[in-house]
Amino acid sequence: MINKNKVMILNFLMASVFFISCSTTDTPKETPAGETPKGEVKSYDIIVDSKGTGDFTTVQAAINSVVFLKTIETKIYIKNGVYKEKLELAQNKNNITLIGESKENVIFTYDDYASKKNSAGLEIGTSGSASFIVAGNNFKAKNITFENSSGNVGQAVAVRVDGDKVIFDNCKFLGFQDTLYPRASTSRQYYKNCYIEGATDFIFGASTAIFDQCEIFAKTGGSYITAANTPQANPYGFVFLNCKLITNAASKSYYLGRPWGNYARTVFVKCEMAAHIKAEGWHNWSKPEAETTTFYGEYSSTGAGGNTASRVSWSHLLTLEQFTTDYTINAIFKGWIPTL
């Protein structure tokens, strides 16, 4: 009788251990096949759903749940929905990947703008207006729309990026002035198959950023696509590879760029340009001295706005050797090869 009781107790303890081990939250979740492209089933560490079926209902709560200085990737799956949140991926929140259910239906949005006052009565400024601040390293985002919804109210950033080795794949960026802010001079960023929309200076900042096969949509009412602030020590600023420059603006209404900083570096390589691009291409921002310090270049531009015959004399047409040697991803990113 005693031995039988011991066996029953032992069986109970073993079953309890098995149940606990199977219930641990460390096991990646699987999203239903119907919610991923082509019927795939993928595993994620965290699921966000505004309707309450995931681990969190807000994106910020999911980001906050990841420990600082994590050395392995954390995959966060975002279900379709509009997430009105002012988001921040803090410094040392590293190796986080956000994957949206669909680019058109996963929308991160907020409506701050530079001249808006904070609780102390001071303007929050351009950097403070960002709907999403990315300060962590090795961040990835896929299939997500990022928006500043404040409208045409001056400087209003959708995404500000300070972290290094940041990737956006198949994402949209929506705003008016100052939509996308690749901010930090030490930051390398890769945008693949993205759509970026805005008006004046809607891609601006000091980072080294490659835009690969992206659509760059210039809205009516703006005048400049880029405003780089590249530091003198950085050999690259913004590089557009095989992009399409599209618009709903008038013919010859946009410059390719103007120098926020006097050492601005911006190059368009094999890009198709619509008729909104001015024949002269580039503007000196009323700083004649910048004409000798900037590097504005093109290689094999096409389309109605791609005729380089009348470009300003201080811009550059890349040679074949420069194109093949200096404008590879490896050269631009100093050995970092982005992995989607």
Side-chain angles (χ1 to χ4, degrees):
M1 185 71 175
I2 295 176
N3 290 339
K4 186 176 180 180
N5 285 341
K6 286 182 177 180
V7 170
M8 292 174 64
I9 293 170
L10 181 60
N11 287 340
F12 174 79
L13 291 173
M14 291 177 65
S16 299
V17 170
F18 176 78
F19 175 79
I20 292 170
S21 66
C22 289
S23 301
T24 177
T25 56
D26 291 336
T27 304
K29 287 111 181 134
E30 289 189 345
T31 59
E35 295 174 353
T36 55
K38 299 180 181 179
E40 296 177 62
V41 176
K42 294 184 178 181
S43 296
Y44 302 96
D45 301 292
I46 299 169
I47 295 175
V48 178
D49 181 15
S50 60
K51 299 179 178 65
T53 68
D55 302 294
F56 298 96
T57 58
T58 67
V59 179
Q60 190 65 62
I63 290 172
N64 292 346
S65 74
V66 181
V67 298
F68 286 100
L69 298 172
K70 192 168 183 183
T71 57
I72 61 173
E73 183 181 30
T74 300
K75 289 185 177 181
I76 302 176
Y77 183 77
I78 317 293
K79 289 192 175 185
N80 287 339
V82 177
Y83 297 84
K84 187 173 183 182
E85 306 178 52
K86 191 171 177 71
L87 297 169
E88 181 171 3
L89 182 85
Q91 190 175 16
N92 296 325
K93 287 276 186 176
N94 300 332
N95 298 294
I96 291 178
T97 297
L98 303 181
I99 303 172
E101 185 176 350
S102 69
K103 177 177 66 176
E104 301 298 333
N105 297 306
V106 175
I107 301 171
F108 296 176
T109 184
Y110 209 72
D111 54 3
D112 275 350
Y113 50 93
S115 60
K116 186 176 182 179
K117 301 294 195 300
N118 61 19
S119 58
L122 303 174
E123 293 186 354
I124 63 175
T126 303
S127 293
S129 73
S131 300
F132 188 15
I133 297 172
V134 179
N137 296 331
N138 295 295
F139 170 78
K140 295 181 186 178
K142 183 174 182 178
N143 305 336
I144 297 172
T145 292
F146 301 91
E147 179 186 45
N148 188 305
S149 59
S150 60
N152 193 8
V153 293
Q155 298 162 322
V157 177
V159 176
R160 185 189 106 193
V161 182
D162 298 341
D164 189 28
K165 299 181 180 179
V166 171
I167 297 172
F168 292 92
D169 178 17
N170 194 41
C171 290
K172 294 177 72 173
F173 302 84
L174 306 178
F176 279 83
Q177 183 175 352
D178 292 0
T179 302
L180 179 60
Y181 190 5
R183 179 171 176 263
S185 62
T186 55
S187 172
R188 291 167 288 180
Q189 302 165 34
Y190 183 63
Y191 299 79
K192 181 65 179 287
N193 295 325
C194 290
Y195 173 91
I196 305 165
E197 176 181 293
T200 298
D201 301 337
F202 63 97
I203 302 173
F204 74 110
S207 304
T208 298
I210 293 177
F211 302 89
D212 189 357
Q213 300 177 63
C214 295
E215 287 190 322
I216 313 299
F217 185 88
K219 288 182 172 181
T220 295
S223 301
Y224 308 91
I225 293 175
T226 68
N229 189 28
T230 318
Q232 184 177 2
N234 285 13
Y236 300 96
F238 300 154
V239 180
F240 296 83
L241 304 175
N242 300 295
C243 292
K244 289 186 176 182
L245 278 55
I246 56 179
T247 192
N248 64 353
S251 177
K252 298 180 181 179
S253 59
Y254 265 86
Y255 292 95
L256 294 169
R258 61 176 178 171
W260 180 12
N262 282 1
Y263 293 91
R265 303 179 71 91
T266 303
V267 174
F268 290 84
V269 176
K270 292 189 173 182
C271 292
E272 181 182 336
M273 304 178 181
H276 62 307
I277 302 303
K278 290 176 176 284
E280 58 269 41
W282 309 91
H283 192 275
N284 67 8
W285 209 331
S286 300
K287 298 185 288 187
E289 69 278 10
E291 295 180 6
T292 62
T293 53
T294 58
F295 189 92
Y296 285 148
E298 295 173 71
Y299 181 80
S300 292
S301 297
T302 61
N307 187 341
T308 57
S310 299
R311 294 294 194 246
V312 293
S313 61
W314 42 277
S315 66
H316 303 267
L317 297 179
L318 302 184
T319 65
L320 176 61
E321 182 179 2
Q322 285 175 305
F323 164 61
T324 55
T325 303
D326 299 336
Y327 285 88
T328 65
I329 292 176
N330 185 63
I332 295 166
F333 284 152
K334 300 178 181 177
W336 172 53
I337 302 297
T339 302
L340 300 177

